Amino acid sequence: MISFQLYLYVAIFILSGLRTLALDKFTAAVYEHPVILANATLEPVSPEDAVALMNKNMDALEVAIKRAAEQGSHIIVTPEDGIYGFRFTRKTIYPYLEDIPDPEENWIPCTDPDRFGPAPVQGRLSCLARKNSIYVVANIGDKKSCHSNDSACPSDGHYQYNTNVVFDSEGKLVARYHKFNLFTFETTIFDYPKEPEFVTFNTPFGKFGIFTCFDILFHDPAVVLVSKFQVDTILFPTAWMNVLPHLTAIEFHSAWAMGMGVNFLSANTHNTSSDMTGSGIYAPTGPRAYHYDMETENGHLVIAELNSHPRLSPTYSGAVNWSAYASTVERFLSEEQDFTGMIFYDEFTFTEITKHEGNYTICQRDLCCHLSYRVAEKREDEMYVLGAFDGLHVVEGQYYLQICTLVKCRSTNLTTCGEPVTTAQTTFESFSLSGTFGTSYVFPEVLLSGIHLAPGEFQILSDGRLVSENGTSKPVLTVTLFGRVYEKDGSTTSIPTNVPQHL
Ligand SMILES: *[C@@H]1O[C@H](CO)[C@@H](O)[C@H](O)[C@H]1NC(C)=O
Ligand SMILES: *[C@@H]1O[C@H](CO)[C@@H](O)[C@H](O)[C@H]1NC(C)=O
Ligand SMILES: *[C@@H]1O[C@H](CO)[C@@H](O)[C@H](O)[C@H]1NC(C)=O
Ligand SMILES: *[C@@H]1O[C@H](CO)[C@@H](O)[C@H](O)[C@H]1NC(C)=O
Ligand SMILES: *[C@@H]1O[C@H](CO)[C@@H](O)[C@H](O)[C@H]1NC(C)=O
Ligand SMILES: *[C@@H]1O[C@H](CO)[C@@H](O)[C@H](O)[C@H]1NC(C)=O
């Protein structure tokens, strides 16, 4: 009797010890989901119809969650809009929303489903996490009623938020994040919180922070989670529409991980007609696994191992002074004429790359960009330019950029430089790109022919150079240093906090 109790005690002690044991590495999963959309309607559907549609999407998430858990994943991220879809108005999304309580309530919806009123979506997600013993990250909608004594309370009497939730491996709600930087049309559907929320939680495999899609372009909360809260890994549900050459999902999200020195788990919605594809598991030293598919309408599960504390890893190089090299070298002179061209509504200054090797400098305002390179062969049928942009971007959001970019033109006509192009044939044997950046937030991008990343094929030196000594495995579409100057976004960009966001 006594010895049995002792064994039991020891067994429980070991088990609970194992559970809290710190892990140096963990396995992450992200699921790119082809979301099943509700039919666009003018009037809200019934709560039953809303749950039925969301259950169809959760059926697919369930398959992915089970497979991820079977393959040893500790956490899985699913996409923004992955459960209710898109094509809503403020009114028609309402039946899809649930009241999501504060995680401080220590709520396990799976075992206590009715504690805060009807919550079938939270209940099911919690059970998926608990039954498969895996952290589940999902994007759902939160509603919070408000009173007319709150001057910001919308006239329909409640706030509604685009919300990420995290359930731990026992099914407990451990994080709730309300999206702060709503994308254009979303402001007619959702409210944003009065202050940005900095949502973090600890696990045996590191400290996590969370934000959503368009948030990645702004300082709050994204940068603060890394610089102040020192998270190890960012969880990032997104419904990202790719924009070439600088803002495709895999390219920009992997660059953010590298520029900020964090792990980044990005799960995109899959819809090729909306250019939505590109999910990945990115470490500061480069992508660990990613998925990009414009050929099919299928979902896809990505799984990879990561360091729990990437900044402690011996291969992590630490702080970069992004202007150190560029501000000390002489301007390279060339005979080529500068000219201007547009990249995603921004007017760049370009200079053509004409030789099989060389050194070029191009400047705009305070930014000078230097490129040294060698190509195997300077082809007659392809044209590349070096470009600089130092200015305020104002279309689909307002944000100040400093960008140095080597980019392939769509054709050999100079007027096509900066237009989207997906294939190339020019192989670079080496390159080095740097710029006189006035910011410490620079995201290094290398995108190859066919929309591929270049893991391990380039590196960032502490003096701010993006270098590839032995070239890349495929021809180059673009090599870019994408800088953000948050303090110049301008007073007109700061979102008014007391204006109801429904139209
Ligand atoms: C949308 O409408 C079509 C045609 O009425 C119907 O077949 C389909 O099931 C509907 N889809 C959903 C998600 O309700
Ligand atoms: C607003 O009114 C509600 C209901 O009467 C009350 O519970 C709440 O405390 C009030 N809030 C403020 C800020 O006065
Ligand atoms: C993709 O999204 C669009 C709306 O943006 C929709 O019309 C289309 O049906 C979606 N495709 C699929 C396969 O669901
Ligand atoms: C970066 O390097 C430049 C050039 O050496 C130097 O002037 C500048 O102070 C450095 N910046 C930081 C933040 O260390
Ligand atoms: C480019 O610059 C480097 C370093 O200043 C120099 O060694 C090299 O000869 C230059 N190459 C060309 C083709 O001018
Ligand atoms: C380049 O494209 C522009 C705009 O389409 C056109 O006007 C021009 O004639 C083209 N130049 C050549 C050399 O084809």
Side-chain angles (χ1 to χ4, degrees):
M1 187 68 184
I2 289 173
S3 65
F4 174 73
Q5 273 187 340
L6 187 67
Y7 276 124
L8 194 65
Y9 188 78
V10 169
I12 287 170
F13 181 77
I14 290 173
L15 276 177
S16 56
L18 275 178
R19 196 176 294 147
T20 54
L21 205 66
L23 299 171
D24 289 340
K25 292 179 184 297
F26 71 104
T27 303
V30 301
Y31 177 57
E32 181 160 313
H33 174 50
V35 60
I36 301 160
L37 299 175
N39 286 322
T41 56
L42 292 172
E43 289 304 315
V45 299
S46 69
E48 294 72 29
D49 285 353
V51 171
L53 185 274
M54 292 192 285
N55 270 325
K56 281 192 209 165
N57 280 305
M58 285 192 288
D59 290 345
L61 301 191
E62 176 165 356
V63 174
I65 290 165
K66 280 189 173 146
R67 276 184 50 212
E70 279 160 17
Q71 294 178 49
S73 306
H74 296 84
I75 187 164
I76 180 168
V77 184
T78 64
E80 181 183 29
D81 303 338
I83 293 176
Y84 53 63
F86 34 89
R87 292 198 298 206
F88 292 109
T89 63
R90 181 176 176 91
K91 204 163 100 181
T92 60
I93 201 166
Y94 187 75
Y96 297 83
L97 310 179
E98 291 184 357
D99 199 332
I100 306 170
D102 190 323
E104 304 231 313
E105 299 284 356
N106 279 318
W107 182 40
I108 301 181
C110 189
T111 58
D112 187 7
D114 300 323
R115 184 167 148 204
F116 299 98
V121 177
Q122 293 171 86
R124 184 164 178 194
L125 291 170
S126 163
C127 288
L128 287 174
R130 187 178 172 88
K131 288 185 181 143
N132 295 288
S133 200
I134 183 173
Y135 281 68
V136 170
V137 183
N139 178 260
I140 59 179
D142 191 9
K143 59 180 175 190
K144 289 281 171 282
S145 59
C146 49
H147 294 275
S148 49
N149 58 3
D150 168 0
S151 63
C153 183
S155 59
D156 54 12
H158 61 270
Y159 294 102
Q160 44 195 52
Y161 300 109
N162 174 332
T163 310
N164 296 334
V165 287
V166 183
F167 298 95
D168 73 7
S169 52
E170 283 167 11
K172 187 168 83 179
L173 179 69
V174 292
R176 175 190 69 180
Y177 168 71
H178 297 132
K179 186 178 184 181
F180 187 58
N181 298 285
L182 298 174
F183 184 67
T184 61
F185 60 85
E186 275 189 307
T187 57
T188 66
I189 305 169
F190 291 114
D191 307 295
Y192 50 82
K194 294 188 173 75
E195 298 294 332
E197 300 170 348
F198 305 104
V199 174
T200 68
F201 60 96
N202 285 298
T203 73
F205 43 97
K207 183 172 181 180
F208 285 73
I210 189 163
F211 56 83
T212 313
C213 203
F214 200 41
D215 281 329
I216 195 176
L217 278 160
F218 300 93
H219 189 270
D220 291 350
V223 171
V224 179
L225 285 172
V226 182
S227 59
K228 180 165 173 222
F229 292 89
Q230 295 278 311
V231 300
D232 298 296
T233 302
I234 294 290
L235 304 169
F236 186 70
T238 188
W240 191 277
M241 286 172 270
N242 292 321
V243 180
L244 283 165
H246 296 147
L247 286 171
T248 65
I250 55 172
E251 173 191 32
F252 190 62
H253 304 160
S254 62
W256 205 88
M258 195 174 255
M260 296 300 295
V262 280
N263 294 325
F264 197 91
L265 308 184
S266 169
N268 202 356
T269 303
H270 188 85
N271 180 311
T272 57
S273 59
S274 299
D275 285 327
M276 287 176 180
T277 179
S279 303
I281 296 172
Y282 310 117
T285 47
R288 290 293 167 88
Y290 67 94
H291 175 73
Y292 175 92
D293 166 28
M294 283 294 280
E295 307 297 318
T296 79
E297 293 301 332
N298 300 334
H300 190 84
L301 182 65
V302 182
I303 297 180
E305 194 178 65
L306 286 167
N307 291 319
S308 300
H309 306 286
R311 284 184 296 271
L312 302 181
S313 134
T315 51
Y316 178 64
S317 48
V320 173
N321 179 334
W322 289 102
S323 64
Y325 176 82
S327 58
T328 54
V329 295
E330 295 278 318
R331 280 181 73 147
F332 300 124
L333 298 172
S334 79
E335 307 95 63
E336 313 306 330
Q337 282 281 311
D338 294 357
F339 61 102
T340 60
M342 303 299 279
I343 299 184
F344 193 40
Y345 307 102
D346 296 324
E347 190 175 81
F348 278 65
T349 306
F350 288 135
T351 187
E352 189 191 342
I353 300 305
T354 53
K355 307 194 180 71
H356 89 280
E357 68 176 321
N359 298 308
Y360 287 85
T361 297
I362 190 78
C363 300
Q364 188 182 91
R365 295 199 197 193
D366 293 339
L367 180 68
C368 282
C369 307
H370 306 297
L371 173 72
S372 301
Y373 72 95
R374 193 174 68 247
V375 294
E377 179 204 0
K378 181 68 188 84
R379 299 176 63 99
E380 293 297 314
D381 59 348
E382 291 197 318
M383 179 179 283
Y384 286 81
V385 289
L386 175 65
F389 178 72
D390 183 3
L392 188 64
H393 176 90
V394 294
V395 177
E396 291 182 353
Q398 185 166 313
Y399 39 90
Y400 200 100
L401 299 172
Q402 283 191 324
I403 294 177
C404 290
T405 186
L406 165 69
V407 64
K408 191 202 152 184
C409 305
R410 189 173 57 72
S411 73
T412 52
N413 186 332
L414 287 175
T415 63
T416 68
C417 297
E419 292 180 14
V421 56
T422 57
T423 58
Q425 290 179 292
T426 300
T427 301
F428 281 75
E429 293 180 338
S430 67
F431 52 79
S432 165
L433 179 68
S434 60
T436 56
F437 291 98
T439 176
S440 43
Y441 299 104
V442 177
F443 310 120
E445 306 185 320
V446 176
L447 193 65
L448 304 180
S449 183
I451 316 296
H452 290 281
L453 299 177
E457 296 178 359
F458 68 96
Q459 55 185 143
I460 304 304
L461 307 185
S462 57
D463 64 8
R465 276 178 291 173
L466 189 177
V467 297
S468 178
E469 277 166 18
N470 301 313
T472 51
S473 53
K474 296 185 182 66
V476 166
L477 291 176
T478 184
V479 176
T480 301
L481 291 166
F482 188 105
R484 275 288 282 116
V485 190
Y486 299 108
E487 64 271 24
K488 287 192 179 178
D489 286 354
S491 53
T492 49
T493 61
S494 63
I495 304 162
T497 53
N498 54 359
V499 179
Q501 282 298 300
H502 63 284
L503 298 178

